[in-house]
Amino acid sequence: MKRERINPDTLELEERVVQINRVSKVVKGGRRFSFSTVVVVGDGKGHVGIGMGKAAEVPDAIRKGAEAAKRNLIRVPLVHSTVPHEVVTKYAATKVMLRPAAPGTGVIAGRGVRPVVEAAGIKDLLSKVYGSNNPVNVVKATFKALSEMTSLPEMARRRDMTTQELMERRTRRETEAA
């Protein structure tokens, strides 16, 4: 599915550093240190992006990561304060499950999932990380899962239904399960 370009200048984006990692390269004179960062940006209203930056100094790495994140912005469909449907996504050895939650539940998420969903503006969510819990892969898997989300109007259009019919079917299924 083709991603639409979102202009970061029109949004009030907030940066959040997920991880700073010091890496070293051994050369003839000793070790050369550099830093890699994972940065998440979002406006809290359904837009989120992730980026990685590498530099000799931490502030430069954070700046580069933020610029990369602004180039990778996506729109996340929201239903009130949660996601429209459950999604399970795999990235490398990490598998992430995101599930909608009732209002007031809060974000039940770990270290890599929480900053991404909070930057997107999701307030109620259940999540679980399977496999590797490497923060870089968890952030990328969460971002991939959010990019695979479809809005209720889009889902209704695919099924040749109205949004109202889809909502009625969904609430009927939930009451039968309870």
Side-chain angles (χ1 to χ4, degrees):
M1 191 159 78
K2 192 165 190 269
R3 229 165 53 184
E4 63 180 271
R5 297 281 299 158
I6 298 170
N7 186 2
D9 301 331
T10 60
L11 304 171
E12 293 179 29
L13 297 173
E14 189 177 303
E15 293 177 16
R16 201 157 165 193
V17 179
V18 177
Q19 182 189 34
I20 299 174
N21 190 24
R22 187 180 82 166
V23 294
S24 64
K25 174 183 174 184
V26 179
V27 294
K28 185 178 176 184
R31 294 188 188 101
R32 292 269 165 102
F33 295 105
S34 66
F35 297 89
S36 70
T37 60
V38 178
V39 181
V40 174
V41 297
D43 66 349
K45 297 174 189 156
H47 293 96
V48 68
I50 63 166
M52 292 183 66
K54 296 178 184 179
E57 302 294 327
V58 174
D60 291 337
I62 292 171
R63 181 185 48 78
K64 285 181 179 180
E67 288 172 3
K70 288 175 185 174
R71 285 192 302 267
N72 289 328
L73 282 173
I74 61 166
R75 175 106 181 93
V76 179
L78 298 175
V79 176
H80 305 296
S81 63
T82 189
V83 292
H85 56 86
E86 181 179 334
V87 66
V88 179
T89 303
K90 190 169 175 11
Y91 180 87
T94 301
K95 191 170 161 186
V96 172
M97 183 266 299
L98 303 178
R99 181 180 288 171
T105 303
V107 176
I108 311 295
R111 183 179 139 188
V113 177
R114 182 178 296 275
V116 179
V117 297
E118 285 180 350
I122 297 168
K123 303 213 178 353
D124 301 304
L125 180 91
L126 302 171
S127 73
K128 178 69 181 154
V129 176
Y130 301 100
S132 170
N133 59 1
N134 173 350
V136 176
N137 288 348
V138 173
V139 167
K140 287 186 176 184
T142 306
F143 186 74
K144 184 178 174 189
L146 291 176
S147 68
E148 291 173 358
M149 293 273 174
T150 56
S151 64
L152 287 176
E154 173 66 20
M155 214 180 295
R157 188 187 63 75
R158 285 184 188 171
R159 297 180 182 187
D160 292 329
M161 302 169 80
T162 65
T163 309
Q164 191 63 36
E165 288 174 330
L166 188 63
M167 287 299 292
E168 287 173 7
R169 181 179 281 190
R170 182 175 271 189
T171 53
R172 194 174 335 118
R173 193 175 332 118
E174 289 173 358
T175 53
E176 288 172 0

